[in-house]
Amino acid sequence: MDNYQHRCVMPFHHMALRPNGKIYPCCVYQEVDEHRLPDDLTTAHPDPFNHPYMTELRERMLRDEYIPNCQKCYNDERIYGSSMRKDVYHAGANFGLPEDDTLGVVPILTNIDMTFSNVCNNRCRMCQPSLSTRWYSDARKLGFEIPSGVVARNSIIEDSDLSTLRYVKILGGEPLMEQESLKRFLHKCTRSQLGVLFVTNCTLLPDDETFALLKECDVTVNLSIDAYGSLNDFLRKDSEWDTVNYNLNWYRNNFPKVSVHSVCNIYSVNKIHELIEHVNSVDENIFHDVVLIGGPPYMQPRHLPEHVKEYLQNYASRSIVQYPRNEKIFKLIQHELKQQGDFKEFVMHDKQLNTIRNEHWQDKNLELWNLIKEEYERV
């Protein structure tokens, strides 16, 4: 794949399914400007994998064309040298891609990102009602649109032969809120040949049957934890750190492969090292991936005042040296802090949600609050 600037194998073997039934060619594929996905590329389509949009996309990939919707991978490669389209061929990775089709020639669906619904027990600050039913009450007060249905019928899951699947990424909502659906799905798969990336917010544990089915697969449990201690509870509203930490240790003790996934945002940009150190204290061999938030836009660190950005640039520079295994996120932070922002935009959205939830984050990240307090209170 290094010989190609834009070509990616994922659309030849993969689809990403969302709670509302919408389908994307990849989990990081973005809808940008006029490059929108067709309305009928959903699980209601009789054959979404061979939808005309997917066929045309594959033809463009074979020609190594620039795809505007693939900006995230292009940007990641420019900033730190790798991306999703390259990571799928990382040594030791198992993404269920056919070994004889490394460049994408014969379309065959062997890999899916799958979610059963948007049912969730958290209302994370960076989330939205389409991905969490717990967000509904806040969304109504904010004037957001509420999804018409909780669960989208999934024709691929309900009607397809799943015995040829070789890799699945299981998402939510929170998938452990849908354990009956999860069990029905796993029973249809060839579990001895199935790689599973199971993504959970680390607030719940599987029941005995779900646990047994997952253990029959080549499973990696991916724990979504965004900060250490009470700051994580603020960002992932309705979670409790003591429970999260207990479950982190439980998963590490009961599954051979556990990873942690964290999203760096404006509230946590100066605290990433605390979570890195905590995860290392649980097990230094845990793979800990920290990514920079894509949305909502107001939570991007670029919106901080300029003097705070300068302070954080120094923090990121020191952290690259101190945490070499996690240098990617600190390089991304450095790049992010060079972007133009609007502090008033952050303050407006922050105050609005703080009022609705009757909360504030200042005691969760006192260092950052002290840095921005004067400017914040003038807005």
Side-chain angles (χ1 to χ4, degrees):
M1 199 56 63
D2 290 339
N3 296 325
Y4 296 92
Q5 284 186 291
H6 309 117
R7 188 166 173 174
C8 178
V9 72
M10 291 297 276
F12 292 84
H13 306 298
H14 170 75
M15 302 193 90
L17 287 52
R18 296 297 175 250
N20 62 358
K22 197 161 188 175
I23 293 177
Y24 291 78
C26 172
C27 63
V28 297
Y29 198 85
Q30 300 172 330
E31 294 192 271
V32 291
D33 301 327
E34 69 275 17
H35 303 283
R36 313 296 293 182
L37 291 165
D39 291 338
D40 66 338
L41 184 52
T42 70
T43 55
H45 191 278
D47 188 10
F49 185 64
N50 292 304
H51 188 285
Y53 182 89
M54 295 294 297
T55 300
E56 180 184 0
L57 176 62
R58 292 173 191 131
E59 291 173 352
R60 296 179 66 189
M61 287 289 183
L62 289 173
R63 295 192 294 267
D64 199 25
E65 289 186 20
Y66 174 87
I67 309 295
N69 311 76
C70 297
Q71 288 181 20
K72 185 177 188 318
C73 279
Y74 305 152
N75 290 339
D76 286 350
E77 289 167 21
R78 186 179 68 253
I79 295 169
Y80 71 93
S82 192
S83 67
M84 170 64 79
R85 79 180 187 108
K86 290 189 174 182
D87 288 346
V88 294
Y89 287 110
H90 187 276
N94 174 21
F95 288 97
L97 304 179
E99 295 181 2
D100 58 349
D101 192 25
T102 56
L103 296 180
V105 177
V106 181
I108 178 173
L109 185 62
T110 63
N111 174 312
I112 58 174
D113 276 19
M114 191 271 298
T115 181
F116 300 103
S117 76
N118 65 342
V119 174
C120 190
N121 60 339
N122 282 182
R123 41 186 169 141
C124 302
R125 186 156 280 231
M126 71 289 290
C127 200
Q128 55 189 308
S130 64
L131 295 174
S132 172
T133 49
R134 286 287 293 162
W135 245 93
Y136 284 7
S137 61
D138 291 342
R140 291 188 181 95
K141 295 172 185 176
L142 290 166
F144 292 178
E145 182 179 353
I146 305 298
S148 58
V150 173
V151 180
R153 188 181 186 282
N154 191 323
S155 59
I156 294 177
I157 303 304
E158 299 293 337
D159 304 329
S160 300
D161 176 14
L162 300 179
S163 62
T164 59
L165 273 184
R166 293 297 174 261
Y167 185 87
V168 59
K169 182 178 181 180
I170 299 175
L171 303 157
E174 168 51 48
L176 289 177
M177 297 286 287
E178 292 278 15
Q179 293 199 55
E180 295 308 312
S181 296
L182 173 58
K183 285 182 275 195
R184 286 197 298 273
F185 168 76
L186 289 174
H187 275 297
K188 292 184 67 176
C189 297
T190 307
R191 294 183 296 281
S192 62
Q193 300 179 46
L194 185 68
V196 176
L197 179 61
F198 184 77
V199 182
T200 172
N201 60 27
C202 204
T203 63
L204 300 170
L205 299 176
D207 64 27
D208 290 345
E209 184 181 356
T210 302
F211 177 62
L213 289 168
L214 287 171
K215 293 282 281 187
E216 292 179 21
C217 308
D218 179 16
V219 62
T220 297
V221 178
N222 188 274
L223 306 174
S224 296
I225 307 172
D226 287 334
Y228 176 78
S230 61
L231 182 57
N232 186 75
D233 296 346
F234 169 80
L235 292 170
R236 292 187 165 267
K237 184 72 173 176
D238 301 323
S239 66
E240 295 181 355
W241 176 252
D242 287 345
T243 299
V244 169
N245 192 39
Y246 174 88
N247 290 347
L248 167 60
N249 284 274
W250 185 92
Y251 281 110
R252 185 64 195 92
N253 292 331
N254 286 278
F255 288 94
K257 292 188 286 188
V258 173
S259 62
V260 174
H261 182 272
S262 308
V263 177
C264 171
N265 57 73
I266 195 168
Y267 298 100
S268 65
V269 64
N270 64 316
K271 294 280 191 177
I272 295 300
H273 67 287
E274 293 183 355
L275 183 58
I276 289 173
E277 290 175 357
H278 181 71
V279 173
N280 284 340
S281 73
V282 173
D283 186 339
E284 62 181 10
N285 295 314
I286 290 179
F287 175 70
H288 185 191
D289 188 30
V290 189
V291 301
L292 196 64
I293 192 166
Y298 85 90
M299 287 183 64
Q300 295 173 317
R302 67 184 61 186
H303 298 301
L304 288 165
E306 289 303 317
H307 75 94
V308 181
K309 290 183 181 181
E310 292 178 8
Y311 174 85
L312 291 172
Q313 285 284 8
N314 292 328
Y315 162 74
S317 295
R318 294 193 307 271
S319 298
I320 288 173
V321 176
Q322 191 169 357
Y323 307 100
R325 288 202 305 170
N326 300 91
E327 69 171 352
K328 177 188 76 172
I329 182 56
F330 296 109
K331 287 183 177 180
L332 290 173
I333 288 172
Q334 287 180 320
H335 181 266
E336 167 69 16
L337 294 172
K338 295 176 183 177
Q339 308 309 305
Q340 185 65 38
D342 183 350
F343 186 59
K344 290 183 179 179
E345 179 183 355
F346 163 68
V347 175
M348 178 188 69
H349 287 282
D350 179 66
K351 286 183 175 180
Q352 188 177 34
L353 198 51
N354 288 347
T355 299
I356 288 173
R357 294 184 173 183
N358 190 30
E359 65 181 7
H360 200 287
W361 54 272
Q362 62 186 64
D363 61 330
K364 312 297 190 298
N365 191 343
L366 188 58
E367 179 189 36
L368 184 62
W369 174 248
N370 286 335
L371 288 169
I372 70 170
K373 181 179 179 180
E374 290 186 12
E375 291 96 328
Y376 186 98
E377 293 179 342
R378 286 199 298 266
V379 176

